[in-house]
Amino acid sequence: VNQDAKKSDELIVQIYQAGLGLPDRDYYTKTDAESKAIQEAYLAHVKSTLVLAGQDEKSAAADAMAIMKLETELAKASKTRVEQRDPEANYHKMTIEELVKLTPSFDWKAYFSANGFPAITELVVSQPEFLKAVDKQIKSTPMPVLKAYAKWNLLNSYADYLSDDFVIQNFDFYGKTLTGAKEMKPRWKRALRETDA
């Protein structure tokens, strides 16, 4: 929920493209040596995290590949950072009925009701083409892959709050590999950062 960009005295539910474990679409679509190395490191990170969560090596490797494939398809449908800067191109106010028509494979009414917005009538969809691609992936992706993707996203979202092995694995990829950080901040600084946030 944020201010309506065309009526700033009102708040409105907004939907944005998302669902990628890497920072943006370019990390999936570029084919230079550095990008390929990051993609391989990400694949290994997903696999390692799934193993930490109790999966065997073989199934974790297969799920990591399937997750990477799904995220790559989502990345291809995502707008670039430059395209996201255009406020007009990223403002599409619609009713719930229009959203349901746009993405019939997702039960938006149940989703909003479960998240405390049962009476919502309209919202802003920033990237409708992305949602069409999501709908296509929901229809074409086997259920075990969707479940693995959901599991990965849950683990990835909460890795910093799980046991030390998850925290270290997460830092090794997102800290060292992506940002070049040499060492993790001490626990007290991380706790303070979370409290400030």
Side-chain angles (χ1 to χ4, degrees), residues 20 28-29 67-77:
L20 305 179
Y28 296 86
T29 58
I67 290 164
M68 184 68 164
K69 181 180 176 192
L70 177 57
E71 287 187 9
T72 300
E73 290 304 313
L74 295 177
K76 289 176 185 174

Side-chain angles (χ1 to χ4, degrees), residues 12 15 91-106 108-109 112 120-125 128-129 131-132 135:
I12 192 164
I15 299 177
Y91 184 93
H92 306 277
K93 190 180 265 189
M94 58 181 66
T95 64
I96 291 296
E97 289 71 25
E98 290 170 322
L99 177 63
V100 168
K101 188 176 179 183
L102 180 71
T103 54
S105 298
F106 192 85
W108 288 105
K109 290 180 181 179
F112 286 125
I120 187 173
T121 57
E122 63 181 8
L123 68 161
V124 173
V125 175
E129 293 302 319
L131 286 187
K132 284 183 187 176
D135 194 69

Side-chain angles (χ1 to χ4, degrees), residues 107-162:
D107 190 343
W108 288 105
K109 290 180 181 179
Y111 173 79
F112 286 125
S113 182
N115 283 283
F117 296 97
I120 187 173
T121 57
E122 63 181 8
L123 68 161
V124 173
V125 175
S126 296
Q127 297 87 18
E129 293 302 319
F130 177 79
L131 286 187
K132 284 183 187 176
V134 168
D135 194 69
K136 180 180 174 186
Q137 290 303 316
I138 290 171
K139 286 186 227 175
S140 65
T141 304
M143 185 56 70
V145 174
L146 292 174
K147 286 181 177 182
Y149 174 72
K151 178 181 180 178
W152 157 245
N153 275 278
L154 182 66
L155 290 167
N156 194 33
S157 295
Y158 291 97
D160 285 339
Y161 310 106
L162 299 173

Side-chain angles (χ1 to χ4, degrees), residues 38-64:
I38 289 173
Q39 291 162 11
E40 289 299 319
Y42 178 63
L43 193 60
H45 169 61
V46 174
K47 177 190 166 202
S48 296
T49 302
L50 293 174
V51 168
L52 288 173
Q55 277 189 246
D56 63 83
E57 293 272 339
K58 187 176 179 182
S59 71
D63 281 352

